[in-house]
Amino acid sequence: MKSASVVITGCSGGIGVALTQSFQKHGYWVIGMDRSSPPADAHIDHYIEFDLQQVLNEDKAAELKAEILHNSQGEVKCLVNNAAYQVVVPVPELSLEDWMQTLSINLLAPFFLTKALLPALERAVGSVINIASIHHQLTKPQFVAYATSKAALSGLTQAMAVELGATVRINGIAPAATDTPMLRSGFTDFDAESEALCAAHPQGRIAAANEVADVALFLASSSASFINGAIIPVDGGISSRLHDPV
């Protein structure tokens, strides 16, 4: 029997799969959540099919909490709020539905899921890791709803760390472009067309999903015991780079 469990939302996506693989490899019992079944290479000990917007409902949140606690092994040591919703449209086309879905999944669900699991996390002296985005600070056209939600998630991370830091550490990770199926789907021919995106990063490439997952694993560990309220950039240096006409 494993001594600690981790709950990972958005476990079926590219970063989600890397998270499940990394945490299970390092001895965690992995409880994964998503709206769609995870791929075969995801390492999940117990899967919960769940639409995170439902966690805003108190009864649904209570049912989810009960299932997580019933199917965990050892202490619930970590919650990784990784699930996200992204709509990419110009401002005139952003609808109220776009805003509500974005904020529900990217901001409110992490709060209410943390709230539901807080007693268990406090007993374990555990941690919460919120997967933000480089868009929390640096963005581009047509990302207004997504960027706003990620900026708010970073603010939530810091505010909750101030209030809960004595018993539960709250940190965030802000990845830049990461090689996932979702990112690749935005290219007609990724190998041919991604050269400019890679070149924009000082390291000359984009992140691998496991590089984000490894930072999450570190933040969950005792080696990060005095890191609290931090938003760790995993961006290959692009957030330090000035882009202007030559």
Side-chain angles (χ1 to χ4, degrees):
M1 179 171 178
K2 297 185 179 181
S3 60
S5 295
V6 59
V7 179
I8 300 172
T9 69
C11 66
S12 298
I15 292 177
V17 169
L19 286 163
T20 65
Q21 292 172 340
S22 184
F23 274 85
Q24 192 185 72
K25 178 181 177 181
H26 286 83
Y28 285 83
W29 177 265
V30 176
I31 298 174
M33 294 170 51
D34 213 315
R35 291 185 298 179
S36 58
S37 298
D41 58 344
H43 293 187
I44 296 172
D45 297 295
H46 180 75
Y47 171 65
I48 303 174
E49 185 174 337
F50 191 82
D51 183 343
L52 276 176
Q53 292 183 91
Q54 296 185 58
V55 81
L56 276 62
N57 177 287
E58 288 187 2
D59 292 338
K60 294 292 185 182
E63 292 174 7
L64 177 62
K65 174 184 176 180
E67 181 169 358
I68 290 172
L69 295 181
H70 178 73
N71 290 285
S72 62
Q73 282 195 8
E75 299 176 312
V76 178
K77 193 70 175 178
C78 184
L79 165 64
V80 185
N81 288 307
N82 170 63
Y85 177 77
Q86 184 181 92
V87 57
V88 182
V89 296
V91 166
E93 296 178 22
L94 265 179
S95 66
L96 178 59
E97 183 180 356
D98 290 332
W99 273 108
M100 295 306 295
Q101 190 163 2
T102 300
L103 293 174
S104 294
I105 294 173
N106 296 1
L107 177 64
L108 298 178
F111 173 79
F112 284 104
L113 186 53
T114 301
K115 180 181 176 182
L117 295 178
L118 189 56
L121 289 164
E122 287 179 328
R123 285 193 297 272
V125 193
S127 70
V128 175
I129 300 163
N130 294 322
I131 306 299
S133 167
I134 193 172
H135 285 273
H136 83 124
Q137 185 178 12
L138 302 167
T139 193
K140 54 189 177 182
Q142 301 190 18
F143 281 79
V144 169
Y146 181 76
T148 300
S149 71
K150 291 300 187 176
L153 181 61
S154 293
L156 176 71
T157 299
Q158 294 170 319
M160 291 184 74
V162 170
E163 183 166 341
L164 302 175
T167 54
V168 177
R169 293 183 299 110
I170 318 285
N171 289 295
I173 300 173
T178 304
D179 190 355
T180 63
M182 179 182 291
L183 181 94
R184 285 176 173 264
S185 70
F187 291 82
T188 303
D189 183 345
F190 178 81
D191 292 332
E193 298 174 2
S194 63
E195 183 177 350
L197 176 62
C198 292
H201 294 72
Q203 285 188 241
R205 64 177 179 85
I206 60 175
N210 68 284
E211 292 177 305
V212 179
D214 287 346
V215 175
L217 186 70
F218 165 72
L219 287 173
S221 74
S222 59
S223 297
S225 59
F226 203 61
I227 299 178
N228 196 20
I231 310 295
I232 308 294
V234 182
D235 62 15
I238 195 172
S239 62
S240 300
R241 185 171 192 171
L242 175 65
H243 290 268
D244 57 10
V246 176

